[in-house]
Amino acid sequence: MNSLGKIIRSVQAFGRELSRQAAPVLPSRTPAIGVALGGGFARGIAHVGVLKVLEQEGIPVRVVAGTSVGALIGAAYCSGVTLQELEDMAASVRFSNFARWTLSRCGFASNDRMISFLTRILKVKTFEELRIPLGVTATDFNTGEGVVFHSGSIIDPVRASCAYPGMFLPVQIRGRYLVDGMLSHPVPARPVREMGADRVLAVHLKGTWSHGGAPRHLFDVIGQSFAIAQDAMSCLWREAADLVIEPDVAGFAYDDFKRAKDLIRVGEAAMRQALPEVRKWLATPEEASSPATAHPMVARPAPMPAD
């Protein structure tokens, strides 16, 4: 009886070994794709075009982080605002929807109108309720430390992320005076990586000085100074990105809200050019044509012809 039991156990073990050897090799799990949306004031409307193409092509976005206008658009998208609603909002929004001029030693405008604006457009009001995890960046004015919000109310962190120094008053949250996230995270690729993204798509809104000669006013000086600083800091965030796309926003002014449709189109064009590389992330090992690169690739679309 003992001999028969040993024979049965041996046959079962042999069968299990055969089954293991014959089992197909399953593809690795789909990588979590994170999107980092950089700052750029009105130029940030190009982010809508990027998200639109990702959704149309069925590219799953698992996590988002946003800086400044990227935080605003990221918050709306992650809360459940549809791409069509985002396009409609972009076409109608103006500076006065979220800002009002004021007399202060700390800035020329307050963005407190963003409270009612965000209350109206967001589908949910806290980070915990978002359909896609979101990180919102800001900068501590006193220490220079970058701050990334992941919990609690969404509205004040987005206001802080958009508090463009010199233009908008700082926003106080939990005893800290906070200003625009562009000072610490121009493109929040690293926060996206730290939130668990396996692959990071970074959207950089590289604006160039398009007026020539002297600046027209103070806000041109502030905007161009930010652009210079953003370029100087690029090495700090590019190393955390797998792919950097740069929509062609060079011909757009910082306050070109009226050209929303054109900005969405340049965002779409940049994302479509980058699609082959993004699709490689989702391919099985057999389908992938090349291994992941050690340094981020940069996809730059050709300039769009003037209308």
Side-chain angles (χ1 to χ4, degrees):
M1 192 70 177
N2 288 339
S3 297
L4 179 60
K6 289 180 180 179
I7 293 171
I8 292 172
R9 286 193 294 273
S10 297
V11 171
Q12 289 173 334
F14 182 70
R16 287 195 296 271
E17 181 66 18
L18 285 177
S19 298
R20 189 172 73 242
Q21 292 176 355
V25 178
L26 297 176
S28 59
R29 69 179 182 88
T30 301
I33 295 176
V35 178
L37 303 176
F41 213 55
R43 294 165 175 155
I45 294 172
H47 291 320
V48 177
V50 172
L51 295 170
K52 181 179 179 180
V53 171
L54 289 171
E55 190 165 292
Q56 287 174 340
E57 298 299 323
I59 307 294
V61 175
R62 302 289 181 82
V63 61
V64 175
T67 289
S68 199
V69 65
L72 192 158
I73 290 173
Y77 182 70
C78 292
S79 79
V81 175
T82 68
L83 267 301
Q84 185 58 57
E85 289 172 328
L86 273 174
E87 287 192 69
D88 293 342
M89 179 186 75
S92 61
V93 74
R94 295 293 183 268
F95 181 82
S96 59
N97 291 117
F98 47 81
R100 63 180 176 84
W101 298 111
T102 186
L103 291 175
S104 171
R105 294 175 298 173
C106 299
F108 289 93
S110 166
N111 66 11
D112 57 1
R113 287 183 179 175
M114 288 187 75
I115 298 173
S116 59
F117 178 76
L118 291 169
T119 299
R120 186 173 69 253
I121 67 167
L122 295 179
K123 303 294 185 182
V124 299
K125 303 302 183 291
T126 67
F127 284 90
E128 290 79 5
E129 297 173 282
L130 294 170
R131 67 185 183 94
I132 299 173
L134 172 71
V136 170
T137 71
T139 305
D140 187 310
F141 177 78
N142 291 308
T143 67
E145 176 189 3
V147 181
V148 184
F149 290 92
H150 303 104
S151 63
S153 173
I154 303 168
I155 292 175
D156 277 347
V158 172
R159 288 182 59 222
S161 190
C162 294
Y164 209 69
M167 178 181 290
F168 292 118
L169 307 181
V171 175
Q172 187 176 10
I173 301 178
R174 302 168 196 165
R176 304 175 82 173
Y177 285 93
L178 302 170
V179 292
D180 202 307
M182 285 180 68
L183 289 171
S184 52
H185 294 289
V187 180
R190 193 168 300 282
V192 168
R193 182 76 70 186
E194 292 170 351
M195 291 169 68
D198 299 313
R199 295 287 190 175
V200 175
L201 171 67
V203 187
H204 179 215
L205 303 175
K206 181 180 173 63
T208 57
W209 182 245
S210 57
H211 302 294
R216 300 170 300 172
H217 42 60
L218 173 63
F219 300 127
D220 276 351
V221 174
I222 295 173
Q224 179 64 1
S225 297
F226 258 98
I228 293 168
Q230 190 174 16
D231 284 346
M233 295 172 63
S234 66
C235 61
L236 300 179
W237 58 264
R238 285 181 185 271
E239 62 185 17
D242 295 288
L243 178 64
V244 178
I245 68 172
E246 296 181 332
D248 182 23
V249 297
F252 297 86
Y254 78 96
D255 56 351
D256 252 345
F257 293 101
K258 62 183 180 297
R259 298 181 64 190
K261 290 183 179 179
D262 294 331
L263 282 161
I264 291 172
R265 282 203 298 267
V266 299
E268 290 181 70
M271 188 63 244
R272 291 211 172 274
Q273 180 162 333
L275 274 176
E277 188 63 28
V278 174
R279 287 198 178 102
K280 289 180 186 178
W281 300 346
L282 304 175
T284 63
E286 292 77 13
E287 294 169 333
S289 59
S290 62
T293 54
H295 300 286
M297 295 185 63
V298 180
R300 295 188 182 91
M304 294 189 66
D307 293 333

